[in-house]
Amino acid sequence: MSFKVVALAAASAGAGFEAVLIERREPRAHDVVIDIAYTGICHSDIHQAREEWGRAIFPMVPGHEIAGTVSAVGDGVTRFKLGDRVGVGCFVDSCRECASCRAGEEQYCLKGTVWTYNARDYEGSETYGGYSTRIVVDENYVLRIPDNLGFDVAAPLLCAGITLYSPLVHWGAGPGRKVAIVGMGGLGHMGVKIASAMGAEVTVLSHSLAKQDDGLRFGASHYHATSDPSTFSDLAGTLDLIVNTVSANLDIDAYLNLLTRDGSMVVVGLPPEPYEIKVGTLTSRRRSLSGSNIGGIHETQEMLDFCAERAIAPEIEVISGTDVDAAYERVVRSDVRYRFVIDIATLAQANL
Ligand code: NAP
Ligand code: ZN
Ligand code: ZN
């Protein structure tokens, strides 16, 4: 029998969030039921709830930075037991057979990754995310949260953390490498912390110098305002790797010009509009422009363990379920220090 849980749903694109009851499926043999403690607010939630990436499924219950406790398990579950501390990120299933799935890169599943919300599972049912009190997920798509990471700070690692960790590993951030993070929001501030923990020399490229003290405290060695044209002349040809987390369109060419010979820019920010680039900026120094999407299950676990071992945690502002609309406005204005996290206990009290 399916069961009902409280959730925050947007009825249509751009509508405010309201507490409603949604159905979760009866746990199958390999499912775990998770009582959610905290869920982070990612800018991707806003893009989708406002239909900025194209047609979306409504009502929508966003949330793909989920942390909580296992409260029930199916008969066939072997990896988790009642009371385990767990997390769920951006996807809840994949085909498990294609080359990407076999390589542990389920986020690039060739049949189509099943996203945690605003998607349909392989049976055709809508998926609903973590702005809710409980979720049912196959154990193979559930992460283990180390004991020394609180649920509130663990939640944002499930998207913001892995989205920066994965390209930093893939493109070899480490000692002797000059890495820039563009945009110091939810993703960007995790990038600064993780890249500096990996031993890279980190530069932040931000709108202004308003968050400079924070950036240096998070481990950056340099901090520049992109509103100052001298940033682009002073740093020209000096950076080995740029990870671009900006949610809006940028003069991408100006940033590519900061790369060394053979340097790479990896885009993780997902603005709705296309970028324009001059190909000559790439060819003149054999530079690369690439993209990266979150990370696979194995790598996400590796990232959680890495952060727990090094005491790396996001900077968060905990809010109640009634504050989500206001929080969205603040994220869009870049007025976030540095991730909003919903205390899901406040939803359980909703008067339904
Ligand atoms: P966020 O907290 O809003 O941070 C984005 C940052 O970009 C802001 O803090 C700001 O940094 C900068 N920025 C915003 N508007 C800008 C503008 N008009 N011009 C220049 N800079 C601007 O968002 P987030 O949650 O980190 O997400 C960032 C983007 O990544 C979103 O598009 C999201 O959908 C995408 N995303 C992608 C993946 C993936 O796997 N590829 C995963 C998660 C999210 P400064 O104030 O420092 O300039
Ligand atoms: Zn996200
Ligand atoms: Zn697959």
Side-chain angles (χ1 to χ4, degrees), residues 25-303:
R25 69 173 179 247
E26 164 78 9
R28 300 171 187 152
H30 288 283
D31 281 344
V32 300
V33 181
I34 300 166
D35 285 3
I36 303 174
Y38 291 92
T39 298
I41 294 180
C42 177
H43 206 122
S44 300
D45 299 349
I46 303 174
H47 288 309
Q48 293 175 86
R50 296 185 174 180
E51 237 175 19
E52 293 172 355
W53 290 342
R55 198 78 188 274
I57 301 172
F58 292 97
M60 184 187 295
V61 178
H64 58 207
E65 296 185 334
I66 300 168
T69 309
V70 173
S71 58
V73 294
D75 293 344
V77 168
T78 57
R79 299 181 56 230
F80 297 99
K81 60 179 189 324
L82 291 195
D84 280 356
R85 307 176 79 248
V86 294
V88 177
C90 295
F91 57 93
V92 289
D93 205 357
S94 68
C95 84
R96 310 172 194 211
E97 289 170 355
C98 73
S100 293
C101 286
R102 286 201 312 270
E105 305 274 20
E106 301 91 347
Q107 73 280 26
Y108 305 120
C109 174
L110 301 177
K111 181 176 172 187
T113 309
V114 178
W115 307 112
T116 304
Y117 67 87
N118 188 25
R120 289 184 204 286
D121 64 21
Y122 294 139
E123 281 75 47
S125 304
E126 293 86 357
T127 58
Y128 296 116
Y131 296 7
S132 75
T133 52
R134 302 170 93 189
I135 191 168
V136 180
V137 183
D138 183 293
E139 63 172 330
N140 293 298
Y141 296 82
V142 174
L143 288 307
R144 197 170 286 286
I145 295 180
D147 286 340
N148 63 336
L149 280 177
F151 285 139
D152 52 355
V153 289
L157 298 177
L158 276 310
C159 176
I162 185 60
T163 299
L164 273 292
Y165 181 87
S166 182
L168 289 168
V169 170
H170 188 81
W171 275 272
R177 300 266 288 163
K178 293 187 176 175
V179 175
I181 305 291
V182 189
M184 204 174 75
L187 266 55
H189 93 290
M190 286 315 303
V192 175
K193 291 188 177 205
I194 293 171
S196 62
M198 289 173 172
E201 181 180 329
V202 179
T203 297
V204 178
L205 299 172
S206 179
H207 276 102
S208 72
L209 297 180
K211 296 178 274 190
Q212 176 166 247
D213 290 348
D214 288 346
L216 300 178
R217 186 162 52 85
F218 300 158
S221 302
H222 317 281
Y223 200 104
H224 296 272
T226 53
S227 53
D228 180 350
S230 69
T231 293
F232 291 93
S233 45
D234 293 351
L235 299 182
T238 64
L239 300 168
D240 298 308
L241 175 64
I242 299 176
V243 184
N244 171 10
T245 75
V246 174
S247 49
N249 224 324
L250 291 180
D251 177 1
I252 205 87
D253 238 42
Y255 291 82
L256 288 171
N257 199 48
L258 305 184
L259 292 170
T260 53
R261 171 174 57 78
D262 289 328
S264 298
M265 175 187 269
V266 183
V267 180
V268 294
L270 286 162
E273 302 303 324
Y275 281 137
E276 248 181 43
I277 63 158
K278 287 196 205 84
V279 174
T281 314
L282 296 175
T283 56
S284 64
R285 301 274 172 94
R286 200 164 55 191
R287 294 168 170 136
S288 304
L289 175 61
S290 328
S292 180
N293 201 22
I294 44 172
I297 292 293
H298 179 81
E299 193 173 44
T300 304
Q301 189 63 59
E302 183 185 295
M303 176 276 310

